[in-house]
Amino acid sequence: MSLRHLVCLFALWPAGASAADWSLSLSGGTATIAGESGQPFVSASLYRYLGPFYVRAGAAWFDGKGDPDIADPLPARTRQITLGGGYQAGRVLFDAYATLGRRDFIPPSQARTNGRIVRDETEGSLLTLGGSVTWDAPAGDAWSIAPFASLSYSSLDTARTLVPQAGDPMVQESRRDGVTGIAGLSAERIWPGGSLGAYLAAAATSNRASINRQGSGLLASRTPQLGPAEDKGDSWLEYGLSGSIRLSADLSLDAALVRTAGFAQGETTSASAGVRLQF
């Protein structure tokens, strides 16, 4: 769940049955990982508010572009669904979710494999279970400040291409597991016609090869994994800006720009924009 959505939930939580009970968001954008070409993505999410509770469902698709070298992790086109829910207790918001997905690995070109064709059509899967707690810190009517902490477990399939002395190249698949924790702060200045926010967080993982970076902080549902082949812990920062323009009482335009700092395999920059409808 993105921190952008957490802040919006506090700012726009329905006051009662007469207010909007549903929220639908549609977004798209591109992520650039470690200097690779941009990887487009699209996503949709639906929220249902039930007093202090809410439930949510979402779907996303990522285009895993790239031409990796031999033994490098293969990019993957990813399809995933997310089911989750939460509860608001005063100024504290609790959220939990589960994400399931399929990954279609993209083999390297023949130029990378000495003219030999990779004949394996390898698929993989991913699973993420996570939760977060966010505090709507008192900051006046014009500001929304939200410190947060989240913890997630990720398990996903990775693959790489190996070229033997004779015969066709082979795709070697492996499963990676790890736990990732994130803590940070989201601050938003709210006007009658929209808002502008900033985001800063620190993250650490027990296994950077297992990170489903679709589920990481404000990068939620935005960044396909191109992680390393080895199991190793890591830590990094995430920072960014977000904004919203209210087109009507029920319709808004949202945008976000987020970047990592210190991720061992190269930095990620993600830009997204979309619409949000309350009804």
Side-chain angles (χ1 to χ4, degrees):
M1 184 181 194
S2 75
L3 271 296
R4 169 75 195 161
H5 288 155
L6 287 174
V7 172
C8 287
L9 282 171
F10 276 123
L12 304 174
W13 197 279
S18 60
D21 294 322
W22 297 83
S23 176
L24 174 64
S25 297
L26 304 173
S27 64
T30 185
T32 301
I33 305 174
E36 298 287 340
S37 58
Q39 300 186 7
F41 57 84
V42 293
S43 65
S45 59
L46 180 66
Y47 287 75
R48 174 70 165 99
Y49 304 100
L50 304 163
F53 297 92
Y54 69 89
V55 292
R56 60 188 178 96
W61 175 84
F62 312 91
D63 185 6
K65 293 183 177 180
D67 186 14
D69 208 343
I70 301 302
D72 284 349
L74 298 181
R77 293 188 178 93
T78 303
R79 309 175 302 279
Q80 68 180 45
I81 59 172
T82 298
L83 299 176
Y87 174 70
Q88 183 183 15
R91 289 186 171 273
V92 180
L93 181 66
F94 300 93
D95 181 81
Y97 68 93
T99 298
L100 294 172
R102 297 296 303 174
R103 315 185 75 213
D104 298 324
F105 295 108
I106 301 173
S109 66
Q110 294 183 49
R112 302 279 190 176
T113 59
N114 298 323
R116 288 184 272 180
I117 299 175
V118 180
R119 302 186 185 278
D120 291 347
E121 295 182 2
T122 305
E123 293 183 348
S125 62
L126 66 86
L127 166 68
T128 300
L129 302 174
S132 65
V133 57
T134 305
W135 177 41
D136 180 23
D141 295 336
W143 285 89
S144 177
I145 298 178
F148 71 93
S150 69
L151 188 68
S152 64
Y153 164 79
S154 291
S155 177
L156 76 161
D157 291 323
T158 63
R160 58 180 182 165
T161 301
L162 303 179
V163 180
Q165 292 294 329
D168 293 333
M170 301 178 297
V171 175
Q172 182 185 71
E173 189 174 331
S174 58
R175 192 76 173 176
R176 307 295 181 180
D177 302 88
V179 176
T180 301
I182 304 174
L185 177 72
S186 180
E188 192 167 36
R189 177 67 165 87
I190 303 170
W191 293 277
S195 64
L196 180 64
Y199 162 78
L200 176 65
T205 183
S206 63
N207 181 6
R208 68 182 184 224
S210 74
I211 298 170
N212 173 20
R213 292 169 76 176
Q214 290 98 333
S216 173
L218 196 64
L219 294 177
S221 302
R222 292 190 173 98
T223 307
Q225 166 69 7
L226 282 179
E230 75 278 12
D231 297 328
K232 191 175 181 180
D234 199 6
S235 60
W236 66 96
L237 297 177
E238 297 177 357
Y239 60 96
L241 297 174
S242 63
S244 179
I245 299 175
R246 186 181 292 271
L247 301 180
S248 69
D250 301 320
L251 183 64
S252 299
L253 293 177
D254 297 328
L257 179 65
V258 186
R259 183 172 172 82
T260 63
F263 192 73
Q265 296 306 119
E267 309 304 346
T268 295
T269 302
S270 175
S272 66
V275 296
R276 175 165 39 91
L277 174 66
Q278 292 183 282
F279 55 98

